[in-house]
Amino acid sequence: AKMEITMLKHQESASRTKIWVTAVLCMLPNMSFGAMLAFIAVALPYYTTVNNASGIYMDDEMSSWFVSLNQPIRMSGTLAATYLNDKLGRKKSIFLSSMVMICGGVMAYFANSYAMLMLGSQLAGFGSGLVVTPTYSLLNDVSIIKLRGTLGSLNTLTVNSGYLYGLVLGIFISVAYLPLIMIAPALLFLAFYWLLPESPVWLASKGNTEEATNVLQNLRGSRYNVDPEVKEILGVVTKNQDTQKKSVLCKEFLKPALIIIILFFFQAAAGADTICYFSMVIFKDQEIDESLMALLFQVMITAGYMISPYIMSRINRRPQFITAVLCHSVGMAVLGGSHFLPEHPVKAYLPMICLGVTGLCYGLGVGPVPFVLMSEMFGVKYKSEGMAIGMAARCLVAFSQLKVFVNLRTIIGVDGIFLIHSILNVLAAIFVFLVLPETRNKSMSELEDIWKSGSEIIQTKKKALSEHTQNNNDESKSDLEA
């Protein structure tokens, strides 16, 4: 842990201003991503109403595809981002994803048929899939160790903030204009795109060491000594380039990939997606207006995401997730079993209370922790592939549950669906407790070593020590000759 403590201490003198500017710019396209999700949720009851003003009507089958198809389309964008993230770099990949989302939003705005509306919304969904990997990669690459968890959590918060932004405006603005609201943050990003730096890790991997050093110096401030960080980046990059890229079946990829896939399965099946997309339907017959219920859920998620970075900077990832997911489970269980409770004046408001609890718990840990872990658990060599497979797994699970929601509600009812979510939340806590390693406050080289065996770590350190000794001997010999 000596390297970790040394790097943590060394980075205390680094400036944080330009890191935060980079973070804000990265998060703008993600806000459009969240607003796109809100458009689907708000537009669903509108387009399923006969004789609505748009002239586009959806039956149950059409509406189920409208809600669910976005998930596999987003997954395809995430898989494409695996290639683009390494080929074009983080900066250009984010630019491309923003352009795709904007084109999709414009198409949805001018849609005069179900087919054109689907094409526009799915194009925007493809763009949202493209944006996830490069934004998390760039934030992870430019951040100092202490801010890594905070920035990852805030990046996830931005998606939810975009959802809340779209949901609130959807209450006051016609559905016809929502696609333009959806793309506004992405347009703002394009206006300030020139301020976004490229990843120093990606630059170093392409042999642009001088540019990588300049970018890092600009981010950290003119008085900061970037040499230790540059040395660590070059060490990790060189080690990965010296060794041929192994099969994805090797333990350095397979172990974290399996954990991330299972973790995202549990996150997607926690119940938040069901409420986000179908809240207008689920709470339609409640005493409190369904729009207010949907808004409450998003407000509480956003509040949780705002608090989460503070928690993430002070406690480990594992206890944060376990505590949040167990509380989330309680909220889901009460939502599903409330009809078994005796009649009481408070019972009418119990769904609202539980909705607030589940939303807050999702934002505090269930939502942000898996995304932060996704950017931390994979080494430089496999980061793009690892993040892509994590997001692909989440999209597939979300697609499956959203597609079958209507039929499942007919068979077991909404109460049964909530109880299933509650059970899965408990299983998620058990899985994290037994399997998940801790990643908080680890340097890049420490994270690279998580999946190595003890003998491999010893061999790596011996090699590094041998090279260091050889360099010292060469310098001593040069001094004597001089």
Side-chain angles (χ1 to χ4, degrees), residues 95-384:
F95 174 83
L96 179 62
S97 66
S98 299
M99 290 298 298
V100 173
M101 281 192 285
I102 290 169
C103 291
V106 171
M107 188 175 293
Y109 172 72
F110 287 106
N112 56 10
S113 67
Y114 174 74
M116 188 172 179
L117 179 65
M118 283 290 287
L119 186 59
S121 61
Q122 302 317 315
L123 184 60
F126 182 78
S128 69
L130 286 176
V131 79
V132 174
T133 300
T135 53
Y136 277 101
S137 295
L138 183 57
L139 289 175
N140 186 70
D141 292 347
V142 303
S143 176
I144 59 176
I145 295 171
K146 277 289 186 183
L147 288 179
R148 195 170 57 215
T150 300
L151 294 182
S153 181
L154 287 174
N155 197 36
T156 311
L157 162 66
T158 311
V159 177
N160 189 74
S161 299
Y163 190 104
L164 185 60
Y165 152 80
L167 195 63
V168 171
L169 291 180
I171 296 173
F172 304 102
I173 297 176
S174 170
V175 169
Y177 296 103
L178 279 183
L180 298 182
I181 299 297
M182 176 180 77
I183 64 176
L187 288 169
L188 185 61
F189 165 79
L190 294 183
F192 294 95
Y193 168 74
W194 58 277
L195 290 173
L196 191 71
E198 183 52 270
S199 160
V201 177
W202 182 81
L203 289 169
S205 71
K206 299 302 179 183
N208 299 326
T209 306
E210 184 178 352
E211 188 177 352
T213 303
N214 292 337
V215 168
L216 203 58
Q217 189 72 71
N218 186 48
L219 285 167
R220 302 287 189 260
S222 57
R223 297 182 180 181
Y224 179 78
N225 179 17
V226 298
D227 291 344
E229 280 197 68
V230 172
K231 183 179 179 181
E232 184 183 28
I233 290 172
L234 291 176
V236 171
V237 169
T238 302
K239 181 173 64 177
N240 288 326
Q241 290 176 342
D242 287 344
T243 57
Q244 185 178 1
K245 193 166 187 174
K246 300 178 183 178
S247 164
V248 291
L249 296 179
C250 73
K251 65 176 178 293
E252 293 171 34
F253 177 81
L254 192 57
K255 284 184 177 180
L258 287 174
I259 290 175
I260 286 297
I261 287 171
I262 296 172
L263 196 59
F264 271 118
F265 164 80
F266 283 124
Q267 188 209 52
D273 284 10
T274 300
I275 296 174
C276 284
Y277 284 99
F278 294 106
S279 56
M280 300 290 193
V281 177
I282 293 172
F283 303 109
K284 190 173 183 179
D285 298 323
Q286 297 290 331
E287 301 229 0
I288 302 172
D289 183 76
E290 63 270 20
S291 296
L292 292 178
M293 295 287 275
L295 189 59
L296 170 67
F297 187 64
Q298 292 304 320
V299 167
M300 295 308 290
I301 290 180
T302 304
Y305 272 124
M306 293 177 71
I307 300 170
S308 178
Y310 177 82
I311 297 174
M312 206 166 273
S313 66
R314 283 160 176 78
I315 69 170
N316 290 341
R317 315 289 190 237
R318 296 171 75 250
Q320 181 178 359
F321 183 87
I322 291 171
T323 304
V325 80
L326 287 176
C327 294
H328 195 272
S329 177
V330 173
M332 284 289 169
V334 177
L335 276 173
S338 60
H339 67 280
F340 292 113
L341 299 175
E343 291 300 323
H344 191 277
V346 178
K347 186 177 178 180
Y349 299 95
L350 200 55
M352 182 182 69
I353 297 170
C354 291
L355 207 60
V357 170
T358 54
L360 182 64
C361 292
Y362 189 87
L364 286 174
V366 182
V369 172
F371 284 103
V372 172
L373 288 169
M374 179 179 67
S375 65
E376 292 179 334
M377 287 175 63
F378 293 98
V380 173
K381 193 190 307 184
Y382 295 110
K383 189 175 290 293
S384 293

